[in-house]
Amino acid sequence: AAEQTLSSWSVLRAHGNMTGATNLQVADHFRSSALNHKFGWAICMSFGPGLGMEGLLLRVPSPLRMSSCLVTQPNQSIVTSWSPSGRNPCYGGQSTSRNSSVLSRSYPTSVWPANIFGITSSWPSKDSQYNQLTLAAALIKQKCLSSAAAENVWRSFKTSCVKMRGLSLGLDEMYTTPSTGEETDQLNDRIQSRLFEMLERAALGALKEWGADVSSLTHVVFGTATSGGAPSHEVSIIERLKLPSTVQRVSIDHMGAVGSHRAMALASQIACASGSHRILVVYGDAGVALGTCMDDEPSKEDIEQASLLADGAAAAVIGAAPRHGEQALYEVHAWKSHIIHNSRNLMSLTRTKLGVELSEHKSVPAEVGTAMSALSDSMLLQNQVSIKQCAVLLHPSSKRSLETIHQKLGIDPEQTTASWMALEDHGDVGGSSSLQMLDWLRKAHLSTQFPWALGLSYGPGLTIEGTLLKLVARGTTALPTPVQFVPNLGPPCVFSMKSSWPPAHFRHKQADILEALLSQTNLSEEDKVFAESVYKGTQVKERGLCLPLEELYTRPASTEAEQAQLKQVGESLFAMLLEAANGALLEWGGERSSITHLVFGSLSNMNTPGHDLDLALHLNFPSSVERVCVDHMGCLGGFRVLALASQLAAVNPKNRVLVVYGDVSVFLGTMLPLVPNKLDLMSVSLFADGAAACVVGTVPLDHEHVVYEVHAAKSELLAKSRGDMYMKSLSDGSVENVVTPRVPIFIGKNVERFVEGLLDKSGVQVSDCAFLCHPGGKTILETVEKKLGLAAEQTLS
């Protein structure tokens, strides 16, 4: 029985805890070990901020076991006859699995189309709605601007076409930079609290319009570009709205204004993977943060952005195969992504200690308009829809961008009414604008004139997203599309895996890391004794940390030194991500042009665009690759993104998904509080830097070797544990990384029931399974072994 958790112990001892990447590294270690031939199944479990648990049931194909364990063989004649049209992302065929009782739990049938059953918009409360000219006067006063600068402000604000905007701060503090770190942290907390209020109102409204019992909700897809820490707001939404603790959640970030289109497309594909899925999409941003971090002498670009950005949120419920009582408002017929090459530096969003900074080159609208014209032509042609039939929902980023893109598309003014209304009434509220315009359109008289909605947005990168929807709400003339149920051929498969770590000169012995801690920090004698006990008790032998030993626990001496360190560590992270991705692609053996999705996860991705876009560019992926950037999920993120990739693969046998997850934890040491407490010392004793990648798909082709089959996925939030595991970045650069001693207790109380649920109706026994458990520490692994009746691994000398 000790062998069942051997891979988890091996990774812990050799590398430490690399957050979500460790999940995939444990699975990579197991498939390369001799035990891979002994166990026919593997249970994956990880634990992370929330406190949440993630689980997967994997089948381990091996030629050394009986033939009933061989991988499912596809019907090649059906595969080769399938042709993607853009209209129907589903695929037909008959399963030839020899284990249908288990396969029936793993996305047996795809369904099309996806539907939006409820949608609601939300903005700041009435006392936080401001006239545009009132905001201009506040900016001039609070920044003490010169006459010339004030004239520029009046001109920008008056010509913006914005009349009112919601901003979640008092007028007297809108453009005032806090004077201390403590004030900055308090301000950020208030902004996040107001953002959550909008998110909650939007979610409640969408669920109410949907009208079904929330217990049937299976997923929550949350998105933002202005939140930080782990977990993000989706956990509070689940708790406050009393949603099932077992919903599978995804937190999307670093995608800018295209984020809600990405969230809609992601939710639509999850919905098409199974008719039982019902997904709550919640998206929101707080543009008010831009004003509080503005320079005292703002540039022309700063002023223009300050005249546009606002706060807002929106939510929608998405599913396929409408049930009794569900009324579809829209059908989601197509989605499309595009990366505009050679435009990487034309637009960016950077997070600072004080908030966010947005940069956009004046050439962006023209670049975007040309690309949007080609993308919309392609999508409409595939779906046999004329653009004249569409209300065109352009992201309302500015008057200039709307006019330029409108001209490039060659459409009538009435088709973009929703975009102009959104800009005038609310300003640019980021990604949630897309959902808010859909909410407005289905209530407007235009819904009978235009039976289709074409949503188009752009974001840093430059990247653009398009979504084609059919209006089918009551009062419209369009008839609902007949529901198509199509059996899938077999389970999602992992075709390759690759782990990566920092180079040899950044791999430090645990004893040397402890010595660096003791010499570089001013610990009391009591804390030194505690630190020595904790470091030696981890059983970690070596950790990769992307800094020299002499810098591990030393704060940079200047801002310049801090920026240089951030750059160096960021480059080291990207090198690990690229190594893992290239290794997984090489083992997979397919053409990179056939990669359809890139699912990227990290807690260390600060800017927009992030490493997901850079990976797509460096790996020479198609410009149409669908990116999903996952953040705020911590140590459970690796298995969560693998489950997500499996659902994307289940929708279409030609989908090939590259999953990449990586983190750098080295900054936990450089940004330790000046007087670290015992929880701080525990966190820096275990965490390390690393990355991992894998390729996921269904229906293996001749060159594809199956490493694992994914047969079930499970999530759970543990009640009353919200404060026992979380991470929060503070304005002074330090990180609150809290993992209390109660975490193993929570896991111990719930792990048996969690595993039973994962194995339910599968016919698989615990004794059949290797346990690929996230090595979050010696105590957690020992707790899992004890509660599940596994023999505890003996401590090696």
Side-chain angles (χ1 to χ4, degrees):
E3 293 175 326
Q4 290 173 277
T5 55
L6 189 58
S7 288
S8 298
W9 285 103
S10 297
V11 172
L12 175 66
R13 288 167 179 152
H15 303 289
N17 178 359
M18 293 142 291
T19 72
T22 320
N23 302 170
L24 301 178
Q25 290 184 357
V26 170
D28 188 20
H29 179 279
F30 173 71
R31 64 88 176 231
S32 304
S33 71
L35 294 175
N36 175 265
H37 304 307
K38 181 171 183 177
F39 295 103
W41 295 86
I43 289 177
C44 304
M45 287 192 300
S46 56
F47 322 98
L51 173 64
M53 298 176 66
E54 289 293 328
L56 293 167
L57 177 62
L58 306 181
R59 187 175 172 208
V60 188
S62 170
L64 300 183
R65 287 191 297 274
M66 58 170 47
S67 60
S68 63
C69 291
L70 294 176
V71 66
T72 299
Q73 296 299 314
N75 183 331
Q76 291 295 337
S77 62
I78 298 178
V79 176
T80 55
S81 66
W82 184 86
S83 175
S85 67
R87 298 185 64 191
N88 187 344
C90 297
Y91 167 72
Q94 292 184 343
S95 171
T96 59
S97 168
R98 299 189 179 108
N99 198 337
S100 58
S101 63
V102 176
L103 258 185
S104 64
R105 309 176 64 226
S106 178
Y107 320 119
T109 306
S110 294
V111 189
W112 187 84
N115 302 271
I116 297 178
F117 296 121
I119 187 167
T120 299
S121 307
S122 176
W123 298 276
S125 57
K126 287 185 178 180
D127 59 352
S128 294
Q129 298 287 334
Y130 299 101
N131 178 278
Q132 185 77 326
L133 298 185
T134 302
L135 290 171
L139 172 58
I140 294 168
K141 178 181 179 181
Q142 290 170 38
K143 291 298 182 183
C144 301
L145 297 181
S146 65
S147 298
E151 184 179 347
N152 190 20
V153 170
W154 286 118
R155 182 169 55 253
S156 292
F157 276 62
K158 287 178 179 178
T159 60
S160 66
C161 279
V162 179
K163 296 178 180 178
M164 295 289 292
R165 282 186 290 153
L167 293 164
S168 302
L169 287 176
L171 191 61
D172 58 345
E173 57 184 347
M174 197 76 69
Y175 304 104
T176 301
T177 302
S179 56
T180 67
E182 183 179 2
E183 289 179 358
T184 300
D185 293 332
Q186 291 173 351
L187 179 68
N188 288 336
D189 286 345
R190 278 197 291 133
I191 291 174
Q192 291 302 314
S193 177
R194 298 287 181 86
L195 175 58
F196 176 73
E197 290 172 4
M198 291 186 290
L199 295 167
E200 184 181 27
R201 287 198 299 271
L204 280 169
L207 291 170
K208 182 178 180 180
E209 183 172 26
W210 171 43
D213 193 326
V214 296
S215 64
S216 61
L217 206 67
T218 57
H219 296 72
V220 172
V221 176
F222 169 71
T224 186
T226 51
S227 183
S232 196
H233 291 299
E234 81 279 0
V235 169
S236 297
I237 289 170
I238 292 167
E239 293 176 343
R240 286 284 293 269
L241 275 57
K242 294 182 171 54
L243 306 183
S245 62
T246 55
V247 293
Q248 297 181 35
R249 58 191 173 95
V250 179
S251 181
I252 298 175
D253 203 338
H254 313 290
M255 305 205 75
V258 303
S260 65
H261 277 288
R262 234 12 356 259
M264 251 196 302
L266 179 62
S268 297
Q269 291 172 86
I270 294 172
C272 288
S274 172
S276 66
H277 291 166
R278 290 297 180 268
I279 305 100
L280 173 66
V281 176
V282 191
Y283 204 100
D285 277 316
V288 68
L290 181 76
T292 60
C293 63
M294 190 184 299
D295 289 340
D296 289 337
E297 297 182 3
S299 66
K300 182 179 179 180
E301 185 180 61
D302 292 335
I303 291 171
E304 183 177 354
Q305 295 299 334
S307 72
L308 294 165
L309 294 182
D311 303 349
V317 176
I318 296 179
R323 303 165 186 161
H324 177 72
E326 289 181 328
Q327 172 63 49
L329 307 174
Y330 291 94
E331 294 173 352
V332 186
H333 278 248
W335 48 86
K336 201 171 183 66
S337 301
H338 181 72
I339 299 171
I340 303 175
H341 288 282
N342 303 316
S343 65
R344 176 67 173 77
N345 299 317
L346 295 182
M347 184 179 183
S348 64
L349 188 151
T350 305
R351 286 182 181 165
T352 69
K353 293 178 180 180
L354 297 176
V356 293
E357 294 179 357
L358 180 63
S359 172
E360 180 175 326
H361 192 269
K362 63 181 181 181
S363 66
V364 166
E367 293 273 358
V368 166
T370 300
M372 279 186 176
S373 179
L375 178 139
S376 58
D377 286 348
S378 170
M379 190 159 49
L380 292 170
L381 180 62
Q382 287 178 336
N383 289 272
Q384 300 175 7
V385 175
S386 166
I387 198 167
K388 297 295 184 182
Q389 298 175 276
C390 301
V392 182
L393 312 182
L394 302 176
H395 176 69
S397 57
S398 70
K399 175 186 176 184
R400 182 164 59 92
S401 72
L402 287 180
E403 289 175 340
T404 302
I405 297 171
H406 183 280
Q407 182 183 21
K408 293 282 187 180
L409 294 176
I411 53 180
D412 296 332
E414 194 170 21
Q415 289 178 267
T416 57
T417 301
S419 301
W420 288 104
M421 293 293 292
L423 182 64
E424 290 178 9
D425 294 346
H426 304 289
D428 179 359
V429 295
S432 56
S433 293
S434 304
L435 289 169
Q436 291 180 354
M437 288 187 290
L438 286 173
D439 187 20
W440 180 88
L441 178 65
R442 54 77 178 248
K443 301 172 183 175
H445 68 280
L446 292 173
S447 60
T448 56
Q449 184 177 350
F450 299 111
W452 294 85
L454 174 63
L456 296 167
S457 66
Y458 68 92
L462 289 167
T463 62
I464 57 177
E465 294 286 334
T467 309
L468 181 64
L469 306 98
K470 183 179 179 182
L471 282 82
V472 292
R474 289 191 179 95
T476 59
T477 57
L479 295 174
T481 302
V483 178
Q484 299 179 34
F485 295 89
V486 218
N488 290 333
L489 278 172
C493 302
V494 177
F495 296 129
S496 64
M497 303 196 83
K498 173 65 176 176
S499 303
S500 64
W501 300 275
H505 61 280
F506 286 145
R507 297 182 195 175
H508 310 301
K509 300 295 184 185
Q510 181 79 329
D512 295 334
I513 298 173
L514 171 60
E515 182 58 34
L517 172 73
L518 298 178
S519 63
Q520 295 170 31
T521 57
N522 187 26
L523 299 180
S524 66
E525 289 302 317
E526 178 186 348
D527 284 341
K528 286 181 179 180
V529 172
F530 178 79
E532 289 178 351
S533 173
V534 168
Y535 271 64
K536 292 175 182 177
T538 60
Q539 295 201 12
V540 177
K541 305 299 182 185
E542 183 178 280
R543 284 188 284 156
L545 294 163
C546 294
L547 285 174
L549 276 169
E550 59 270 20
E551 297 181 30
L552 288 183
Y553 299 102
T554 302
R555 289 202 176 201
S558 64
T559 301
E560 292 75 15
E562 181 181 356
Q563 291 303 312
Q565 192 179 81
L566 283 168
K567 183 175 183 292
Q568 182 258 299
V569 173
E571 289 172 350
S572 298
L573 171 59
F574 186 70
M576 290 188 291
L577 296 169
L578 198 59
E579 179 186 350
N582 273 318
L585 291 168
L586 181 64
E587 182 189 358
W588 167 55
E591 295 291 334
R592 297 188 179 199
S593 60
S594 61
I595 292 292
T596 57
H597 296 73
L598 170 59
V599 178
F600 172 70
S602 181
L603 272 173
S604 313
N605 197 28
M606 290 297 293
N607 300 325
T608 305
H611 291 310
D612 56 314
L613 178 67
D614 291 329
L615 282 169
L617 295 173
H618 276 76
L619 296 169
N620 296 315
F621 284 168
S623 61
S624 59
V625 67
E626 297 185 39
R627 297 174 301 122
V628 180
C629 188
V630 177
D631 198 347
H632 315 295
M633 306 208 73
C635 294
L636 55 75
F639 288 146
R640 183 85 287 279
V641 295
L642 179 52
L644 176 62
S646 300
Q647 292 172 338
L648 293 173
V651 177
N652 183 333
K654 290 197 173 183
N655 282 351
R656 290 298 180 266
V657 187
L658 175 67
V659 174
V660 187
Y661 203 103
D663 269 318
V664 283
S665 301
V666 66
F667 291 129
L668 290 176
T670 61
M671 295 304 177
L672 264 178
L674 295 177
V675 184
N677 58 35
K678 288 181 170 55
L679 290 179
D680 296 325
L681 296 175
M682 290 172 65
S683 71
V684 295
S685 71
L686 195 61
F687 286 99
D689 305 344
C694 62
V695 176
V696 181
T698 57
V699 190
L701 302 176
D702 290 341
H703 70 273
E704 291 175 326
H705 166 71
V706 176
V707 177
Y708 295 109
E709 294 179 352
V710 183
H711 282 264
K714 183 175 173 61
S715 303
E716 184 156 3
L717 282 172
L718 306 184
K720 300 180 180 179
S721 65
R722 182 72 161 78
D724 286 277
M725 185 183 284
Y726 66 90
M727 189 194 81
K728 181 182 179 183
S729 298
L730 302 178
S731 59
D732 65 356
S734 63
V735 177
E736 275 188 62
N737 190 46
V738 174
V739 182
T740 73
R742 299 202 318 161
V743 168
I745 298 173
F746 277 109
I747 293 172
K749 287 181 177 179
N750 291 277
V751 68
E752 289 180 88
R753 178 176 49 80
F754 186 81
V755 170
E756 288 173 0
L758 199 55
L759 296 178
D760 185 40
K761 299 178 182 178
S762 70
V764 179
Q765 305 299 316
V766 169
S767 58
D768 300 328
C769 303
F771 277 78
L772 311 184
C773 184
H774 175 71
K778 173 176 174 286
T779 305
I780 288 177
L781 289 180
E782 290 176 338
T783 300
V784 170
E785 289 175 332
K786 180 179 179 181
K787 290 295 181 179
L788 295 177
L790 311 176
E793 171 86 353
Q794 290 184 318
T795 302
L796 300 181
S797 59

